[in-house]
């Protein structure tokens, strides 16, 4: 969830994710993730894939979901070995999302959940996604909505010992996403900007009352023509 108060920031994103790994379950474990996943799953349900890649897979939350598209190959990559060690099943690779260790046109579906904010150079990232996609392949990814910057929210996590850490993110506008996708030769099919609705978590009620329920995440669906 978003919070207006910053905790002590981890100096390095990879170190932060390594710290987070022991307390990071392989399921959507907060309201924002549940909202994001509901949108992504609704789009994935319309797609059929042979070879699927999950970029920034973490502990592998999306690996079984991607397998349900019918993909015979499902691969997850992440920069944090500690996160990958907690993921179960499917092929997992420790790699940089800006330098994927795969051949051109290796996958017909790429998913990336809430990791675009870990990438400062959005153009380089979308070009690498496009390089790895087949013609007609789908890129589906989410990011923290620009409302986070507008309201000054911070991203925090709690480690297994109860300590709270702040994890910074690179803020991207909707227009920057659109420009990066277009420059990479990826045609936008849909942009979704969901708001919280009926999540029973008390934190959601508090959030909606305080912030008047702006969009909290943005989901992009693009195709390589």
């Amino acid at each position: 969830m978003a919070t207006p108060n910053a905790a002590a920031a981890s100096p390095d994103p990879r170190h932060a994710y390594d710290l987070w790994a022991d307390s990071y379950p392989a399921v959507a474990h907060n309201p924002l993730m549940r909202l994001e996943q509901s949108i992504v799953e609704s789009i994935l349900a319309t797609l059929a894939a042979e070879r699927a890649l999950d970029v920034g897979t973490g502990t592998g939350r999306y690996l079984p979901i991607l397998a349900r598209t019918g993909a015979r190959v499902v691969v997850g990559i992440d920069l944090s070995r500690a996160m990958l060690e907690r993921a179960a099943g499917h092929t997992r690779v420790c790699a940089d999302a800006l330098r994927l260790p795969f051949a051109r046109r290796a996958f017909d579906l790429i998913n990336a959940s809430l990791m675009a904010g870990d990438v400062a150079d959005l153009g380089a990232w979308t070009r690498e996604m496009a390089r790895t996609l087949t013609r007609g392949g789908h890129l589906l990814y989410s990011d923290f909505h620009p409302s986070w910057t507008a309201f000054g929210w911070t991203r925090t996590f709690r480690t297994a010992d109860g300590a709270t850490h702040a994890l910074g993110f690179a803020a991207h506008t909707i227009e920057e996403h659109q420009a990066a996708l277009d420059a990479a030769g990826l045609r936008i099919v849909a942009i979704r900007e969901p708001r919280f609705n009926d999540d029973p978590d008390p934190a959601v009620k508090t959030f909606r009352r305080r912030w008047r329920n702006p969009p909290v995440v943005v989901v992009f669906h693009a195709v390589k023509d």
Side-chain angles (χ1 to χ4, degrees), residues 8-218:
S10 278
D12 172 74
R14 187 187 312 198
H15 176 57
Y17 284 112
D18 286 347
L19 285 175
W20 199 355
D22 283 344
S23 59
Y24 198 106
V27 295
H29 54 267
N30 63 48
L32 186 146
M33 293 174 76
R34 289 193 289 270
L35 178 64
E36 183 265 357
Q37 186 170 310
S38 70
I39 300 300
V40 173
E41 283 195 286
S42 71
I43 298 172
L44 286 174
T46 69
L47 305 178
E50 287 288 322
R51 303 179 305 280
L53 175 66
D54 190 31
V55 178
T57 194
T59 54
R61 168 167 66 111
Y62 269 102
L63 297 179
I65 296 172
L66 290 174
R68 291 201 289 272
T69 66
R72 57 182 175 81
V73 174
V74 177
V75 180
I77 73 115
D78 202 278
L79 201 57
S80 169
R81 288 189 181 278
M83 284 281 190
L84 290 171
E85 287 171 358
R86 290 181 55 81
H90 303 287
T91 301
R92 304 181 302 281
V93 179
C94 188
D96 188 332
L98 293 177
R99 292 180 290 276
L100 294 174
F102 306 112
R104 294 174 62 86
R105 300 182 294 275
F107 298 94
D108 54 1
L109 172 61
I110 297 177
N111 179 72
S113 171
L114 297 171
M115 65 78 55
D118 293 323
V119 178
D121 191 341
L122 194 60
W125 182 77
T126 52
R127 288 193 299 273
E128 183 66 352
M129 299 304 104
R131 182 189 70 81
T132 317
L133 271 178
T134 61
R135 292 285 179 187
H138 296 261
L139 172 62
L140 185 57
Y141 75 95
S142 58
D143 194 10
F144 298 99
H145 195 275
S147 58
W148 281 65
T149 301
F151 289 105
W153 299 334
T154 58
R155 184 184 180 196
T156 61
F157 67 94
R158 185 170 295 175
T159 52
D161 61 4
T164 299
H165 300 265
L167 178 57
F169 61 94
H172 306 299
T173 66
I174 303 294
E175 293 75 17
E176 287 169 344
H177 282 285
Q178 291 174 309
L181 289 165
D182 183 64
L186 297 168
R187 174 175 54 86
I188 297 172
V189 176
I191 302 174
R192 303 283 297 276
E193 302 175 68
R195 305 167 191 260
F196 289 123
N197 42 46
D198 56 356
D199 192 300
D201 193 310
V204 171
K205 293 183 179 179
T206 301
F207 175 89
R208 295 176 66 176
R209 185 166 56 248
R210 177 169 185 176
W211 301 105
R212 299 185 181 275
N213 205 27
V216 291
V217 67
V218 56

